[in-house]
Amino acid sequence: MTLADVAARAQVSPATVSRVLNGNYPVAASTRERVLKAVDELDYVLNGPASALAAATSDLVGILVNDIADPFFGIMASAIQSEIGGPGGRAGGERLAVVCNTGGSPERELTYLTLLQRQRAAAVVLTGGAVEDPAHGAAVGNKLRRLAEAGTRVVLCGRPPVPEAIAITFDNRGGGRELTEHLIGLGHRRLGYIAGPEERTTTRHRLEGHRAALAAHGIEEDPRWTVYGRYDRLSGYEATLELLRRDPTLTAVVAANDTVALGACAALRDSGLRIPDDVSVAGFDDLPFSIDAVPSLTTVRLPLSEAGARAGRIAMGREEAPPGGIATVRGELMVRGSSGGPRVG
Amino acid sequence: MTLADVAARAQVSPATVSRVLNGNYPVAASTRERVLKAVDELDYVLNGPASALAAATSDLVGILVNDIADPFFGIMASAIQSEIGGPGGRAGGERLAVVCNTGGSPERELTYLTLLQRQRAAAVVLTGGAVEDPAHGAAVGNKLRRLAEAGTRVVLCGRPPVPEAIAITFDNRGGGRELTEHLIGLGHRRLGYIAGPEERTTTRHRLEGHRAALAAHGIEEDPRWTVYGRYDRLSGYEATLELLRRDPTLTAVVAANDTVALGACAALRDSGLRIPDDVSVAGFDDLPFSIDAVPSLTTVRLPLSEAGARAGRIAMGREEAPPGGIATVRGELMVRGSSGGPRVG
DNA sequence: TTGAAAGCGTTACCAC
DNA sequence: GTGGTAACGCTTTCAA
């Protein structure tokens, strides 16, 4: 079942069928009718690889995420995808938005980029924090350059800028700082911090913001107050217990993201502590379910979907790139419930 | 930059380069070395569309999900993907696992299937409940048949069986029944039910289970006790308020999934009711965060990742299809905390 | 407005 | 074990 079959049935040349199907060339209405009818009757579906080969581009748009089970990425991916104009978007250019789950692994990230390069993807959006290994950074930079050279549009979303691409970044430092300042304003002077994986940009930036806040208020940080972990619930649970073991007098815990904060809350509850009477907890992300899990949780509301939507539009060339190729979007502090004061004693 | 360039540089024929790159044909070690060296030096990447065209198959594997922002799908997708043997999986066959977000829309589902068909996908996995519109069901069935005829492996995961594909299904009826029976065992006789979207299979099956439990215990259901909604938090919130307005004497609320249950809990809290002292809440899914949100929430622990893993293996032909092409996996009831008794009065 | 024909970059078959 | 070469199914100039 090929273009030629359709052409034969519609009594036209393959070229005409191609033009009708791509809708990018004037074709007489009556001819179009006939072709469309033939397509319908034969239940014909264009051969993607053949099109891509001949046209030297494909309609694939790759979205790389660190963890597909984390709504943080789900929300962004969803926003990107609706702007891609794929199924459900505006008619015409049927793009295939595909989300690729790297699991946070540098190798997989690179492999996916190669796979996307191999597919001659129309665009690639990389979301979330990056691994800070210099070698890996260079490798990714190279790949991105090659992709761009081959005509693939590359956009970063929630990921630190690199020279090879346009970037929409979150102000992780500012958010981290604001979060901790809020707790300090509540009277806390002894704050534990649960960081994300080491060597991840978001981990470092958020932690830097936290420390800046401490420094600004003349609080000397105890090295025992920081624990590194993964961006998941169990990690938050374990880190909190570890924190409490190291220093039971902590009055607040800051978590590198909401999922981690959830685990922290569970650990606090299991330790017989109450939130926010005994300990205040702050997260970072504002995921839809955290408000249910911890009504008093204070988080930074990251504009996940707005950032994603913008990245999607830029990737499709429907929005101009920001000046300098970098746009930084700010989070807004979400104070929920009464985040209590510090524990006495 | 083509295969020919590499061949020239390595002083071999294009055919040999192809064989080395695909690793599916004996090539002398020394020749292989030379070719690999040339590939490396030229930074050559195979042209996917050209390969797919010539070989008449691609290395794309599509995973359709109803809502990418919902961890329910994220967990399954993640499990499927690791079994696909894509990046990070076992070496060799670099498959591109791509997740496609239908948003629960029948049209998008169909469009994605067409797009995947156009790409000559190696396999397609459809996850989650299906829309129950007969016309749409027929259309999907047709597409699946065509896909299968074209050599694409089609597997359903957490989705009701159709003749055109192998299916791993969840026992939604049984789970729903068990959940409600648990609440009845606690003494509840007046139970509200927040269903998912109408015309969705999971919605219907879970509700049927619920009603079977009521019937088995001689409880006559009040029509006011069931409200339909979407599978999200806000829907759960609103539905609960509606339920409470219709009948303030309810002592328990069953939600069609955990996300909905979270919204229900929020609504109960906002109504001044305590959980589980005043009202018991039950969800359906066992998502990782629900335990934090509502420690006393009772849910069915669906084997999301096991089901996904199995679907992935079957899609890759690494595991035999279940007898009759259908495997039903059972959920396990998760009773957390003390799910209290009914409210007095 | 339409048709003819030359690629696009691989793969796979057939020789050697 | 390796090379030559016809497909693969479409897009796109160039003519008509």
Side-chain angles (χ1 to χ4, degrees), chain B residues 254-339:
Chain B
V254 182
N257 79 11
D258 277 17
T259 310
V260 171
L262 255 35
C265 291
L268 293 174
R269 278 197 304 265
D270 287 359
S271 304
L273 296 170
R274 277 175 314 149
I275 311 158
D277 292 347
D278 293 338
V279 183
S280 287
V281 178
F284 201 120
D285 273 1
D286 189 46
L287 297 184
F289 52 78
S290 27
I291 190 173
D292 295 302
V294 198
S296 65
L297 183 70
T298 297
T299 64
V300 176
R301 194 210 307 256
L302 293 180
L304 260 22
S305 24
E306 289 92 286
R310 188 147 178 217
R313 287 193 298 267
I314 294 174
M316 290 299 93
R318 286 200 279 102
E319 179 173 323
E320 219 177 315
I326 305 173
T328 298
V329 297
R330 261 160 216 303
E332 169 196 351
L333 195 66
M334 284 286 295
V335 181
R336 291 171 182 151
S338 62
S339 284

Side-chain angles (χ1 to χ4, degrees), chain A:
Chain A
M1 174 65 46
T2 74
L3 241 203
D5 298 328
V6 178
R9 193 177 229 283
Q11 316 257 50
V12 295
S13 76
T16 301
V17 177
S18 172
R19 297 197 261 251
V20 169
L21 257 24
N22 288 298
N24 50 8
Y25 213 83
V27 173
S30 63
T31 313
R32 184 207 309 307
E33 290 291 298
R34 242 175 335 138
V35 171
L36 255 20
K37 182 153 161 290
V39 166
D40 214 56
E41 287 168 352
L42 295 175
D43 214 354
Y44 171 73
V45 175
L46 212 51
N47 182 317
S51 301
L53 175 58
T57 50
S58 84
D59 50 8
L60 235 58
V61 174
I63 302 174
L64 266 63
V65 302
N66 286 333
D67 181 6
I68 200 176
D70 185 343
F72 175 91
F73 292 102
I75 293 170
M76 267 196 294
S78 182
I80 295 168
Q81 187 208 31
S82 16
E83 293 296 335
I84 292 302
R90 32 220 107 331
E94 294 294 42
R95 314 207 104 84
L96 216 203
V98 298
V99 359
C100 309
N101 184 28
T102 67
S105 145
E107 299 78 42
R108 269 188 249 182
E109 179 170 277
L110 238 22
T111 312
Y112 267 127
L113 287 176
T114 303
L115 249 25
L116 256 7
Q117 180 183 10
R118 176 178 304 180
Q119 300 295 333
R120 304 300 188 250
V124 172
V125 181
L126 290 88
T127 68
V131 171
E132 286 203 300
D133 176 40
H136 178 246
V140 170
N142 268 325
K143 267 276 175 267
L144 297 188
R145 181 151 18 80
R146 296 232 183 289
L147 278 163
E149 284 166 3
T152 297
R153 247 120 33 185
V154 182
V155 180
L156 310 181
C157 184
R159 195 177 163 113
V162 296
E164 292 83 3
I166 293 168
I168 309 284
T169 68
F170 294 123
D171 179 20
N172 286 307
R173 261 193 215 84
R177 176 168 179 150
E178 214 175 336
L179 205 50
T180 298
E181 262 170 353
H182 170 73
L183 292 171
I184 293 174
L186 252 28
H188 295 282
R189 310 285 298 177
R190 308 181 65 79
L191 305 89
Y193 190 90
I194 308 175
E198 283 194 90
E199 309 290 310
R200 197 73 77 80
T201 52
T202 44
T203 299
R204 183 163 63 78
H205 294 159
R206 290 174 188 187
L207 183 50
E208 281 172 5
H210 168 70
R211 290 190 169 150
L214 294 181
H217 291 265
I219 299 177
E220 199 185 332
E221 202 199 358
D222 186 320
R224 297 174 303 158
W225 293 350
T226 300
V227 173
Y228 288 86
R230 300 175 312 278
Y231 277 131
D232 64 28
R233 188 188 164 277
L234 181 59
S235 180
Y237 187 90
E238 295 171 341
T240 303
L241 294 183
E242 170 68 15
L243 239 27
L244 252 24
R245 220 188 42 227
R246 291 187 187 174
D247 183 353
T249 72
L250 292 173
T251 65
V253 174
V254 182
N257 79 12
D258 277 17
T259 312
V260 171
L262 256 34
C265 290
L268 292 174
R269 278 196 303 264
D270 287 0
S271 303
L273 297 171
R274 276 175 315 148
I275 310 159
D277 292 347
D278 294 336
V279 182
S280 287
V281 178
F284 201 119
D285 274 0
D286 188 46
L287 296 184
F289 52 79
S290 24
I291 191 173
D292 296 302
V294 198
S296 66
L297 182 71
T298 298
T299 64
V300 176
R301 195 213 302 256
L302 292 180
L304 260 23
S305 23
E306 288 92 290
R310 188 146 179 218
R313 286 193 299 267
I314 293 174
M316 290 300 92
R318 286 201 278 105
E319 180 173 322
E320 219 178 314
I326 304 174
T328 297
V329 296
R330 261 159 217 305
E332 168 196 351
L333 195 66
M334 284 288 294
V335 181
R336 291 173 182 150
S338 62
S339 284
R343 170 162 56 155
V344 185

Side-chain angles (χ1 to χ4, degrees), chain B residues 207-296:
Chain B
L207 183 51
E208 282 173 5
H210 168 70
R211 291 190 166 150
L214 294 181
H217 291 265
I219 300 177
E220 198 185 332
E221 202 199 358
D222 187 319
R224 297 174 304 157
W225 294 350
T226 299
V227 173
Y228 287 86
R230 300 176 311 279
Y231 277 131
D232 63 30
R233 188 188 163 277
L234 180 59
S235 180
Y237 186 91
E238 295 172 341
T240 303
L241 294 183
E242 170 69 15
L243 239 27
L244 250 26
R245 220 188 41 228
R246 292 186 186 175
D247 183 352
T249 71
L250 292 173
T251 65
V253 174
V254 182
N257 79 11
D258 277 17
T259 310
V260 171
L262 255 35
C265 291
L268 293 174
R269 278 197 304 265
D270 287 359
S271 304
L273 296 170
R274 277 175 314 149
I275 311 158
D277 292 347
D278 293 338
V279 183
S280 287
V281 178
F284 201 120
D285 273 1
D286 189 46
L287 297 184
F289 52 78
S290 27
I291 190 173
D292 295 302
V294 198
S296 65

